[in-house]
Amino acid sequence: MTTTSVTSRRLLPADPATRRIAERLYQLIADLPILSPHGHVDPGILATDRPFRDPATLLIRDDHYVTRLLHADGVDLASLAIGQGEISESEARRIWRIFCDRWHLFAGTASGYWLRSTLQDVFGVEQLPGDADPDALFDALSESLAAADMRPRALLERFDIEVLATTDDPLDTLEPHRILAADPGVRTVVRPTFRPDAYLDPTAAGWGDRVERLIDSVDQNGYEGYLEGLRASRRRFIEHGATSADFGVFTADTAEIDPSSAAALFDRARRGELSATEARAFRAHMLFESARMSTEDGLVMTIHAGVFRNHHTPTFTGYGPDRGHDIPVATTFVEPLRPLLQRFGTARGFHLILFTVDETTFSRELAPLAGFYPSVFIGAPWWFLDAPDSAARFRAATVETAGFYRGSGFIDDTRAFLSIPARHDMARRTDAGYLARLVVEERLSIGEAERIAVDLHSAIPRRAFKL
Amino acid sequence: MTTTSVTSRRLLPADPATRRIAERLYQLIADLPILSPHGHVDPGILATDRPFRDPATLLIRDDHYVTRLLHADGVDLASLAIGQGEISESEARRIWRIFCDRWHLFAGTASGYWLRSTLQDVFGVEQLPGDADPDALFDALSESLAAADMRPRALLERFDIEVLATTDDPLDTLEPHRILAADPGVRTVVRPTFRPDAYLDPTAAGWGDRVERLIDSVDQNGYEGYLEGLRASRRRFIEHGATSADFGVFTADTAEIDPSSAAALFDRARRGELSATEARAFRAHMLFESARMSTEDGLVMTIHAGVFRNHHTPTFTGYGPDRGHDIPVATTFVEPLRPLLQRFGTARGFHLILFTVDETTFSRELAPLAGFYPSVFIGAPWWFLDAPDSAARFRAATVETAGFYRGSGFIDDTRAFLSIPARHDMARRTDAGYLARLVVEERLSIGEAERIAVDLHSAIPRRAFKL
Amino acid sequence: MTTTSVTSRRLLPADPATRRIAERLYQLIADLPILSPHGHVDPGILATDRPFRDPATLLIRDDHYVTRLLHADGVDLASLAIGQGEISESEARRIWRIFCDRWHLFAGTASGYWLRSTLQDVFGVEQLPGDADPDALFDALSESLAAADMRPRALLERFDIEVLATTDDPLDTLEPHRILAADPGVRTVVRPTFRPDAYLDPTAAGWGDRVERLIDSVDQNGYEGYLEGLRASRRRFIEHGATSADFGVFTADTAEIDPSSAAALFDRARRGELSATEARAFRAHMLFESARMSTEDGLVMTIHAGVFRNHHTPTFTGYGPDRGHDIPVATTFVEPLRPLLQRFGTARGFHLILFTVDETTFSRELAPLAGFYPSVFIGAPWWFLDAPDSAARFRAATVETAGFYRGSGFIDDTRAFLSIPARHDMARRTDAGYLARLVVEERLSIGEAERIAVDLHSAIPRRAFKL
């Protein structure tokens, strides 16, 4: 990973004695290759390796963590060309100016940090949006983007990404993954991730059609065909390099329902006859069944729980999903996951990584669960919590109960390809700072801290995600 | 604002390099005029400008944040003359001695901090209650209070308060506000705040009578007269300078009920026929309707949610409300506010400021909501959270998701007039410390930090509260 | 207390100016005698004073905070000889090696901290498990354990434990307590604690038999005999030196049920006829009745709420309780405790100490409740939260609202006798660090900080627990 100078004090502790130790630890890990075992980069951009379009589309328009803060400042999503396909250069310049005028809104935010790092470390610009002339900056960035060394595969190499996982639909062809795997010039292992949410929730729009196509892909019918369709798709993902299956759920409810009752629910779901309660029960059952499949085929199970998706209906209706109004809610794991853990919690080889945006669960639930169940790993700070202060709180909330070795290791979980190095660098710097404090407080020896620093960014994610 | 020496290290970071930056930032904002857009000072004391009574009544007896800690130590509220009107000097001295004997109970508390600042910075005393002879201190403070420069209006000037908002009943005459506005000698703008809780909750004692008087104030009858009474009162508040309407609620539930059903609930409420569930629905509907009124007349809507009022019935029965046993409860905003935000969340000019005493909502709900909805602003740390460590947690929990510009700016929310400068000074110092850390960690440039420091205590509250 | 060198910087703040003050405060309290008013040491080991067995049994096998992290790493409980009685030396050596191989799992954890302190400060070893040869270390520790100065009573003296409370069944003979009290050579006051959970919850296994024996111990029958049995047992505990009664509950629900209805519930409970809802109501009622008994006999009431016990049924079935899978859940006190506090919250002499493993309640509920009710004290950070970073969060979350004098003082709450000095030393160091920060930030004078430091580890627990 070659990003910011390793001599920068960025994100390191203020106290000089602590900082010296943090710098020593950071230097050990600054250049480790990037492991990105969970994220949302479109594999198509890597397979085709076309140059990126203009900077406004790349950095603003298509990043809803950026557009949500512009929207909060009163900028209409329409004026940002959200959902409008390719835009003209003049349109892109207009959007770029809207953004530059509001650069101060991003001060202190994670998104602002990724943007700044991307501009400084990937593009090498000196003046930031708040100081630079917007048009001159747009021109400079556009020129950079046209160069061969800013093509997606060139960046993959430059970022030193050893593993990059994408997130994919069960019926996806995985053709980009095949192309990348077959190309000896691509040294990064690009792995698909099985993400079946839209097939497990009977209330999701299009569930019936999707399930029908899934069943059509195998020889069996009905509920058995549905389960076999999922299993077959998982096998196909594994053949293409997948090591994990991901589940985005509102609650972490799980339930064991006997096969004939489950089949009956499934049949009624296809006829649109489930009550809301029955639909919830079916979802909970399918999360349980997905754990069972993981114990059979070895895919790591990751759960991202506790988000109210598409909170503002007019925005969802007008612009579709992923527009910045998915809002976290209070979450609990202890009782909802219990049916699953009773059955599979100590199953050999089963890995269950739990992600949350409700920080209260870190010390209360996730660290205690991971401190007992060999299957449970604490997911890295996710999403809004993937930021320096939140990451520090995460360590302080989990390590005292579960240590360093029950976490998943850092994941970037991003669509924003260019921000990947900055995100991993942030995690390495904040980990170095946290470990340095423990050394200063005589809670770890420097030797222990060195081993842990390296493990956190190598052995730990390799083991948790079975890389 | 002329309070503590700007060279004091009070509340600034310990690390020398960080403190130097914090001092530079603090010096920029230490003397900005005070904006107090939400609070509970009695406007009558300013209109009449009578000298304050003795120090025990002023600083102890009438401040239930102080008396609650005495009560927790076993002091009966009766022996503090709670609810007994004016007290004799010997009674005041007795209460003062009770307080001085227990000064150590306040060490480290926000109340202790306000008291110490008031004594040192407003009264200029050198020995604090724990060290001084209680009677000598009582005498010195009494002498100070008799002087002309300690009269309420003189302090208003000395504190350099540019705007002071009070909190008022919809049927209040607002006569003190008229007097103060008409007096060219008063440079502070004293604004009323519309606080209709007792008119919106059919289960509140006296609701029926209050509503009847409200309807009598307009030409219409029934539910329409009720809504028009509220609207007319809001207009009258706006004419007297109000820019906001405040709502203190147990939950943030909102609901849209069609007008005829709402009218039917209202009629049955007046006959005392509502079930608890119906009363809750009516309250939720009136919070929704209040948002609609704000989109029409422009009053900023502030919600203070999640407090169990008057937890100990024997105390409430014996001494009335505001006796220190209002206790926070777990709070959520995401689902309860959704009906309101679906309808008005992106309405132009609508401002909704959310205050909480459940810190868990800062990173989980408030920052994400304010990071999308242009109407939503994150309320400053409220009440028990209005203290240095809590304020630091607030910034660390919200900035990474929503930046600095989606907050309301600091509000003091106090009845304790003499503590106002100390409270704003605390906020300025803790903000300077937080920003300095971000500069040291290379997350902000010093120029960015300077701009944000000034905006936090000027442009941001002016915009959020439409001052 | 004679543990680590008072010149060690262990757990003290990194900033040099803050650390100097922290060291000064720590030196004041480092050698205060230990008050341990709540814990789980087996009084039998003190009464018999037999040498401890091998180091693996003492430090690993019998400490489920240690075995849970081994289990999480994939070590079967069976291979740790859990629940197998005395083990051979070769078995002990095997378990010791399993532990030494996994020493890195404990880095940064509270358990790792206690183990390291125990090894270094109690045994005086120089090389820790990660560095030492496991067999040589086993031999060295075994040799130490055989020495007279490592016998339980010798350690009691060496640790300078002034008071040690155990936790005991209402029908326990309390014979060890009698033996210890009668022996003039034992200077520590070993007090029993009344723990009646298994007698108050009709759904607990064996409740009927236990209640029958309780009733048999007094002259009355039925519900009256049950209440009188509890009262008589409490009296017996008080005669043996008890000052508190402890309640471990899933929720803090309390309810006042009239005596005849309660008697009817009790009779039906004995016939096994209660519904789940009725059983919950009866438990809530008995928590209420227990508070009433405390107002009568003066026993301090301590509540440990909010834990899902024995989460993994196969482990519970195979190995019994206390195997590391008790997991905290979201907890609330405000509404559940209200019936109890309405009735007894201001009763003279009643002490109610509230312990939680849900940190969110510290600032939201516990500090506000303790800041009003003279009976309520905030329990020290309990269990998973009994660790340096958690302890720092606890102070920062409670002091600003409730000060220092509404807390219980530190309790170690441990079965691991040898870890007691390390635990109290941790609390003293973190308190010194917190107070030092407040001095540096000019929130406390050094004189105030010195008084508070001493009170936190002497006057405050003496008062809260009526020692």
Side-chain angles (χ1 to χ4, degrees), chain A residues 287-304:
Chain A
L287 208 55
F288 184 96
E289 286 301 312
S290 298
R292 186 201 305 277
M293 290 180 195
S294 275
T295 63
E296 292 164 356
D297 65 20
L299 283 182
V300 173
M301 185 176 194
T302 62
I303 295 182
H304 291 80

Side-chain angles (χ1 to χ4, degrees), chain A residues 294-332:
Chain A
S294 275
T295 63
E296 292 164 356
D297 65 20
L299 283 182
V300 173
M301 185 176 194
T302 62
I303 295 182
H304 291 80
V307 179
F308 195 115
R309 304 273 170 185
N310 305 308
H311 191 260
H312 189 240
T313 303
T315 296
F316 178 64
T317 306
Y319 300 94
D322 294 326
R323 296 310 179 211
H325 52 115
D326 296 347
I327 311 286
V329 295
T331 304
T332 182

Side-chain angles (χ1 to χ4, degrees), chain C residues 148-206:
Chain C
D149 65 354
M150 288 292 282
R151 299 270 279 270
R153 289 195 188 180
L155 291 176
L156 205 55
E157 189 75 13
R158 175 172 155 201
F159 294 165
D160 195 13
I161 300 179
E162 181 181 319
V163 174
L164 181 74
T166 63
T167 301
D168 310 275
D169 187 278
L171 290 176
D172 191 286
T173 62
L174 304 182
E175 183 62 11
H177 299 84
R178 197 198 55 72
I179 290 168
L180 292 163
D183 188 332
V186 178
R187 298 196 310 172
T188 303
V189 182
V190 181
R191 300 182 180 279
T193 299
F194 184 77
R195 171 81 172 244
D197 296 341
Y199 298 76
L200 306 185
D201 177 0
T203 66

Side-chain angles (χ1 to χ4, degrees), chain B residues 68-182:
Chain B
R68 79 187 170 88
L69 282 173
L70 299 175
H71 180 262
D73 196 53
V75 179
D76 273 339
L77 294 184
S79 76
L80 295 168
I82 303 288
Q84 290 179 25
E86 296 194 357
I87 56 176
S88 68
E89 191 195 303
S90 68
E91 189 78 342
R93 276 186 192 277
R94 193 182 50 74
I95 292 169
W96 184 253
R97 272 184 235 110
I98 288 174
F99 165 68
C100 289
D101 286 349
R102 288 167 180 80
W103 175 245
H104 63 288
L105 302 179
F106 296 86
T109 67
S111 292
Y113 185 77
W114 314 139
L115 285 166
R116 188 169 65 116
S117 293
T118 298
L119 293 171
Q120 291 182 328
D121 302 327
V122 181
F123 286 95
V125 309
E126 284 171 18
Q127 278 198 309
L128 289 170
D131 302 315
D133 172 67
D135 278 297
L137 186 52
F138 186 91
D139 291 338
L141 296 172
S142 299
E143 196 184 314
S144 287
L145 284 176
D149 67 352
M150 288 292 282
R151 300 270 279 270
R153 289 193 186 180
L155 291 176
L156 204 56
E157 189 76 12
R158 177 173 153 201
F159 294 166
D160 195 12
I161 301 178
E162 181 181 318
V163 174
L164 181 73
T166 62
T167 301
D168 311 274
D169 187 279
L171 290 176
D172 192 286
T173 62
L174 305 182
E175 183 62 11
H177 299 84
R178 198 197 54 75
I179 291 170
L180 292 162

Side-chain angles (χ1 to χ4, degrees), chain A residues 15-18 332-335 337-338 341-343 345-346 348 360 363-365 367-375 393 395-406 434 437-438 440-445 448 451-452 455 463, chain C residues 8-16 68-69 71-74 76-77 103-105 107-111 113 116 250 308 310-315 323-331 357-360 384-385 387-391 393:
Chain A
D15 174 67
T18 313
T332 182
F333 293 93
V334 177
E335 297 184 79
L337 279 182
R338 196 166 178 244
L341 289 171
Q342 293 275 52
R343 188 67 175 273
T346 57
R348 291 280 153 193
T360 70
S363 73
R364 191 181 62 218
E365 308 184 16
L369 287 169
F372 173 76
Y373 286 103
S375 57
R393 291 198 296 274
R395 288 276 173 233
T398 58
V399 165
E400 293 182 329
T401 294
F404 290 94
Y405 290 86
R406 303 301 308 149
Y434 179 69
R437 177 163 72 79
L438 266 53
V440 168
E441 294 177 0
E442 298 184 4
R443 293 157 71 182
L444 293 180
S445 70
E448 287 177 311
R451 172 181 175 173
I452 293 165
D455 285 351
R463 177 182 170 218
Chain C
S8 160
R9 293 177 169 190
R10 197 185 283 188
L11 297 183
L12 298 181
D15 174 68
R68 80 186 169 88
L69 282 174
H71 180 263
D73 197 52
D76 273 340
L77 294 185
W103 175 244
H104 63 286
L105 303 179
T109 67
S111 292
Y113 186 77
R116 188 168 64 116
F250 185 55
F308 195 113
N310 304 310
H311 191 261
H312 190 239
T313 303
T315 297
R323 295 308 178 212
H325 53 114
D326 295 347
I327 312 286
V329 293
T331 303
V357 257
D358 179 355
E359 297 186 65
T360 69
F384 288 129
L385 304 179
D389 289 352
S390 304
R393 291 197 296 273

